[in-house]
């Protein structure tokens, strides 16, 4: 749903779907490139690392359709200056792209880097790294040199002088970190755009050395870890072979279904049982009404949850809610305190242990629920020691250590302060691709034309929000009070539509000939490129088509939704 485009792009280009930097790299970086990410709202802990890097002299280049407050400046509440209201200016160069203008911007920067490298003894590109560690550079070079710079700049939406300024900075630096989030991953061309980020870093030799690398910023502390543990609709054959060797059963080899294909299968009646471990599936997924229809067609829906959410109200013919312990709760199994582990965006595995009293003695832990279900379903046919795993999470970690590379002596290492860092081949310039080298790729531009009256909409979060959990109706960084059903628009677009600030409008999408509507949104003028608009999710997920997904990753295109506006009419007929 979020970073599958990153996983696909990085796996193809570098041989690993994970980021290659640690927090220590931010202390050595010369340039930090932030694309499609708003750390002030979505990744606030990252702001401290950026503030420290900026104080040390790093140049921060931010690429975003919105001039986000958290990108421009930061008042650190953990410092005296921050408490007194002094702001650290984070961004040195702000490149305000059109929605999905990142790919042409990156290609424009590459054109300029090639031109700068043509100067005698310029040292702009790292030709030694390119020769030793990459493949496909010649074809990539010919492709980029054939591009027309003016067309790329125009497609990006960024003023020419700012593109030239950013290229000048990149030309002179070698230690570059590129960070991105869902602003890159949820477009039709998301995989190509992320691979273009990799191309730029490979040109500079900014992969596999201190202060440089790729940094897909994932939200949850275990989003990266799910793939590590094999949570995948199409696990690798090597992983399945190891499962069979360690546990002694035949692992299924047929590919399963990702989120979008699961929804389609439920809607068509091919999938009859929906089982969710945590999350708010209905609110997080695209095409809300279509997804609701799919869930209602199931014979059984089951939610393992810490608290109630919207998804629990949209259910199949039979429905169960299994309350479970939260990560913050004390977890006693067999009379012994247990702890869990997480893997963060930097590849660090750490322990996490709850200290709150559970609200009920009847609550089970998620591992316990899984183990008891397995025992009830499989009975004597299973070879897995489910009873042991239900009582001892150390036993689960021992099984992981025997199965997954990098987790040797798991229980001992995770108990060390700060946990441990998983080995990362990309960081060591070991690329697990077919050629053993990092791969340059080539992307063709594909512009999505807008008809008269259409806007390109992207979904965003408010400040008082974490994923689909909404803590309040204020978004102080964007000046919004007590409201979420708003649409941020360019002032000229508002005027051309015959609207005024504060008007109510309905939002329409008709992708694939299917009418979708989100009603009663307040028009808000904002610093956003013309013909672009932004709205909060999950309120506008109803407009995201189920059949519009990123090529090769199948991630919903929540950042490129074509909409048109109509005035909202009250039941009495007045606007």
């Amino acid at each position: 749903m979020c970073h599958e485009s990153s996983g696909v792009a990085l796996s193809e280009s570098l041989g690993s779907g994970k980021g290659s930097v640690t927090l220590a790299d931010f202390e050595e970086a010369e340039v930090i490139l932030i694309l499609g990410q708003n750390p002030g709202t979505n990744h606030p802990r990252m702001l401290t690392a950026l503030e420290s890097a900026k104080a040390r002299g790093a140049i921060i280049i931010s690429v975003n359709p919105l001039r986000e407050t958290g990108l421009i400046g930061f008042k650190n509440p953990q410092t005296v200056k921050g408490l007194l209201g002094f702001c650290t200016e984070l961004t040195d160069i702000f490149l305000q792209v059109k929605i999905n203008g990142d790919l042409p911007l990156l290609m424009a920067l590459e054109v300029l880097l090639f031109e700068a490298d043509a100067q005698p003894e310029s040292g702009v590109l790292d030709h030694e790294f390119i020769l030793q560690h990459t493949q496909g550079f010649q074809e990539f070079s010919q492709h980029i040199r054939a591009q027309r710079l003016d067309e790329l700049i125009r497609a990006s939406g960024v003023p020419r002088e700012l593109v030239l300024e950013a290229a000048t900075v990149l030309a002179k630096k070698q230690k570059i970190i590129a960070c991105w989030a869902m602003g890159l991953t949820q477009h039709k061309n998301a995989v190509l755009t992320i691979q273009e980020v990799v191309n730029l870093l490979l040109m500079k030799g900014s992969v596999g050395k201190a202060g440089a690398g790729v940094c897909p910023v994932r939200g949850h502390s275990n989003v990266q870890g799910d793939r590590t543990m094999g949570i995948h609709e199409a696990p690798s054959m090597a992983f399945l072979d190891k499962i069979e060797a360690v546990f002694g059963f035949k692992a299924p080899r047929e590919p399963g279904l990702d989120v979008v294909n699961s929804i389609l299968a439920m809607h068509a009646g091919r999938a009859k049982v929906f089982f969710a471990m945590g999350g708010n599936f209905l609110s997080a997924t695209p095409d809300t009404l279509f997804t609701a229809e799919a869930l209602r067609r199931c014979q059984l829906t089951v939610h393992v949850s810490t608290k109630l959410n919207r998804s629990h109200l949209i259910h199949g013919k039979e429905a169960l809610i299994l309350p479970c312990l939260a990560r913050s709760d004390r977890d006693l199994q067999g009379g012994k305190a247990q702890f869990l582990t997480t893997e963060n965006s930097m590849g660090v595995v750490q322990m996490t242990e709850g200290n709150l009293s559970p609200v009920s003695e009847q609550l089970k832990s998620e591992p316990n629920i899984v183990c008891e279900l397995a025992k009830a379903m499989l009975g004597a046919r299973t070879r897995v020691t489910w009873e042991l795993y239900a009582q001892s999470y150390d036993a689960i970690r021992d099984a992981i250590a025997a199965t997954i590379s990098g987790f040797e002596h798991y229980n001992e290492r995770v108990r060390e302060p700060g946990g441990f860092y998983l080995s990362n081949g990309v960081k060591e310039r070991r690329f697990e691709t077919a050629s053993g080298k990092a791969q340059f790729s080539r992307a063709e531009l594909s512009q999505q034309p807008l008809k008269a009256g259409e806007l390109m909409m992207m979904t965003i979060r408010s400040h008082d929000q974490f994923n689909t959990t909404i803590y309040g109706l204020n978004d102080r960084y964007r000046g919004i009070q007590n409201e979420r059903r708003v649409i941020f628009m360019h002032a000229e677009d508002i005027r051309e539509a015959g609207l005024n600030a504060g008007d109510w409008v309905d939002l329409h999408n008709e992708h694939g000939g299917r009418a979708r509507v989100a009603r009663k949104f307040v028009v808000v003028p904002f610093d956003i490129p013309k013909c672009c608009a932004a709205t909060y999710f999950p309120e506008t997920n109803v407009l995201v088509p189920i059949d519009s997904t990123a090529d090769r990753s199948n991630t919903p295109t929540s950042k490129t939704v074509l909409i048109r506006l109509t005035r909202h009419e009250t039941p009495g007929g007045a606007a």
Side-chain angles (χ1 to χ4, degrees):
M1 291 297 296
C2 300
H3 269 285
E4 187 66 8
S5 297
S6 300
V8 172
L10 295 177
S11 295
E12 292 178 359
S13 294
L14 300 177
S16 171
K18 299 186 179 187
S20 67
V21 302
T22 65
L23 285 175
D25 288 307
F26 282 85
E27 293 298 317
E28 295 195 38
E30 296 173 317
V31 178
I32 300 173
L33 187 60
I34 302 174
L35 306 102
Q37 183 200 0
N38 179 19
T41 292
N42 301 331
H43 309 105
R45 291 183 181 179
M46 185 178 175
L47 289 173
T48 303
L50 295 176
E51 181 186 39
S52 176
K54 181 66 183 293
R56 192 191 44 77
I59 297 173
I60 297 179
I61 302 174
S62 298
V63 182
N64 204 299
L66 300 180
R67 190 182 294 272
E68 300 283 19
T69 301
L71 280 174
I72 305 303
F74 175 44
K75 296 177 183 178
N76 190 339
Q78 297 180 332
T79 66
V80 173
K81 286 180 62 178
L83 289 173
L84 293 175
F86 292 99
C87 182
T88 298
E89 293 186 9
L90 289 180
T91 295
D92 296 283
I93 304 174
F94 175 60
L95 306 178
Q96 189 171 29
V97 291
K98 299 176 183 177
I99 292 177
N100 201 26
D102 308 271
L103 179 57
L105 171 65
L106 291 163
M107 295 175 72
L109 292 172
E110 290 163 350
V111 169
L112 292 168
L113 290 177
F114 273 118
E115 291 180 357
D117 190 64
Q119 301 301 317
E121 300 181 2
S122 67
V124 170
L125 303 189
D126 190 338
H127 290 281
E128 182 179 354
F129 170 83
I130 292 169
L131 181 63
Q132 292 185 6
H133 297 289
T134 73
Q135 187 177 61
F137 176 73
Q138 194 63 36
E139 295 83 355
F140 164 74
S141 173
Q142 292 173 355
H143 175 67
I144 294 297
R145 292 174 189 273
Q147 302 300 313
R148 299 179 64 175
L149 181 60
D150 288 343
E151 290 184 3
L152 294 172
I153 292 176
R154 184 165 53 252
S156 75
V158 180
R160 182 185 183 91
E161 62 272 16
L162 289 178
V163 178
L164 295 175
E165 182 182 357
T168 300
V169 169
L170 293 170
K172 297 176 181 178
K173 305 296 182 181
Q174 300 298 325
K175 294 182 177 182
I176 304 167
I177 292 176
C179 310
W180 68 89
M182 289 185 288
L184 291 196
T185 65
Q186 295 182 329
H187 298 283
K188 185 72 173 173
N189 60 353
V191 171
L192 290 175
T193 300
I194 295 165
Q195 289 182 329
E196 208 64 48
V197 174
V198 176
N199 287 341
L200 180 63
L201 295 177
L202 293 179
M203 291 173 67
K204 299 293 298 179
S206 296
V207 175
K209 66 182 178 184
V214 292
C215 183
V217 184
R218 292 162 162 103
H220 284 294
S221 57
N222 226 23
V223 171
Q224 182 158 284
D226 63 356
R227 285 295 190 261
T228 305
M229 294 294 116
I231 308 300
H232 200 300
E233 77 278 4
S236 70
M237 293 298 105
F239 178 84
L240 296 175
D241 290 344
K242 195 66 174 178
I243 287 285
E244 292 184 358
V246 172
F247 295 99
F249 66 84
K250 190 70 175 175
R253 299 284 169 151
E254 299 79 13
L257 302 174
D258 60 17
V259 171
V260 169
N261 284 321
S262 294
I263 295 170
L264 294 173
M266 289 188 288
H267 198 274
R270 298 193 307 273
K272 298 179 173 59
V273 176
F274 173 82
F275 188 97
M277 298 287 291
N280 186 351
F281 187 82
L282 179 68
S283 293
T285 48
D287 222 333
T288 310
L289 296 182
F290 185 93
T291 301
E293 291 173 4
L295 289 167
R296 290 191 180 105
R297 294 181 183 186
C298 289
Q299 296 298 314
L300 172 67
T301 52
V302 183
H303 292 272
V304 179
S305 301
T306 59
K307 52 181 66 68
L308 294 173
N309 63 53
R310 174 70 174 161
S311 295
H312 300 149
L313 302 178
I314 309 299
H315 53 78
K317 295 179 175 60
E318 190 169 357
L320 295 173
I321 300 174
L322 304 181
C324 69
L325 294 174
R327 205 172 82 179
S328 55
D329 291 332
R330 282 195 299 271
D331 188 351
L332 296 175
Q333 303 295 335
K336 184 178 179 181
Q338 307 292 325
F339 68 87
L340 305 173
T341 59
T342 64
E343 178 187 346
N344 66 20
S345 291
M346 307 296 176
V348 176
V349 179
Q350 296 173 300
M351 64 186 296
T352 174
E353 189 172 15
N355 57 12
L356 300 179
S357 297
V359 296
S360 169
E361 294 181 356
Q362 297 180 1
L363 289 179
K364 297 180 181 295
S365 70
E366 289 174 305
N368 198 275
I369 290 172
V370 171
C371 291
E372 291 198 12
L373 279 172
K375 288 192 297 179
M377 292 174 62
L378 301 174
R381 293 180 294 122
T382 183
R383 299 183 181 184
V384 178
T385 55
W386 297 109
E387 187 65 40
L388 173 62
Y389 296 150
Q391 296 295 313
S392 171
Y393 300 172
D394 276 355
I396 298 176
R397 283 184 284 272
D398 285 339
I400 291 171
T403 308
I404 300 176
S405 177
F407 285 85
E408 296 77 11
H409 308 293
Y410 191 178
N411 275 308
E412 294 82 359
R413 293 161 67 201
V414 81
R415 283 176 164 86
E416 294 293 327
F420 64 93
Y421 177 70
L422 282 174
S423 176
N424 188 306
V426 176
K427 192 170 184 62
E428 301 163 5
R429 293 190 170 178
R430 288 186 292 102
F431 304 105
E432 296 181 10
T433 60
S435 66
K437 294 186 175 184
Q439 302 294 304
F440 278 96
S441 58
R442 287 173 290 171
E444 299 293 342
L445 286 184
S446 57
Q447 299 293 305
Q448 192 164 14
L450 296 177
K451 299 177 183 177
E454 281 188 331
L455 298 174
M456 181 68 74
M457 185 197 81
M458 64 178 183
T459 62
I460 59 176
R461 302 179 197 174
S462 72
H463 179 69
D464 287 341
Q465 178 178 357
F466 181 73
N467 289 345
T468 60
T469 302
I470 298 164
Y471 297 107
L473 298 180
N474 297 333
D475 190 351
R476 65 178 183 268
Y477 286 173
R478 301 188 182 106
I480 302 298
Q481 298 293 321
N482 200 37
E483 185 57 82
R484 285 186 55 83
R485 299 184 75 82
V486 301
I487 177 169
F488 297 105
M489 297 173 58
H490 192 282
E492 288 186 22
D493 290 328
I494 295 174
R495 185 170 58 254
E496 290 174 5
L499 299 169
N500 295 298
D503 285 352
W504 289 350
V505 294
D506 295 336
L507 318 181
H508 303 264
N509 170 271
E510 297 175 352
H511 179 89
R514 191 164 178 267
R516 302 170 184 85
V517 60
R519 300 192 186 279
K520 200 173 182 181
F521 281 70
V522 181
V523 172
V524 176
F526 206 76
D527 186 358
I528 187 172
K530 199 171 183 311
C531 298
C532 297
T535 57
Y536 298 130
F537 74 83
E539 286 83 355
T540 51
N541 282 2
V542 66
L543 299 172
V544 181
I546 187 68
D547 55 349
S548 177
T549 60
D551 295 334
R552 308 211 305 269
S553 71
N554 211 32
T555 296
T557 57
S558 300
K559 298 295 184 287
T560 40
V561 182
L562 289 179
I563 64 169
R564 59 181 180 84
L565 310 181
T566 59
R567 285 187 178 274
H568 176 79
E569 302 289 338
T570 65

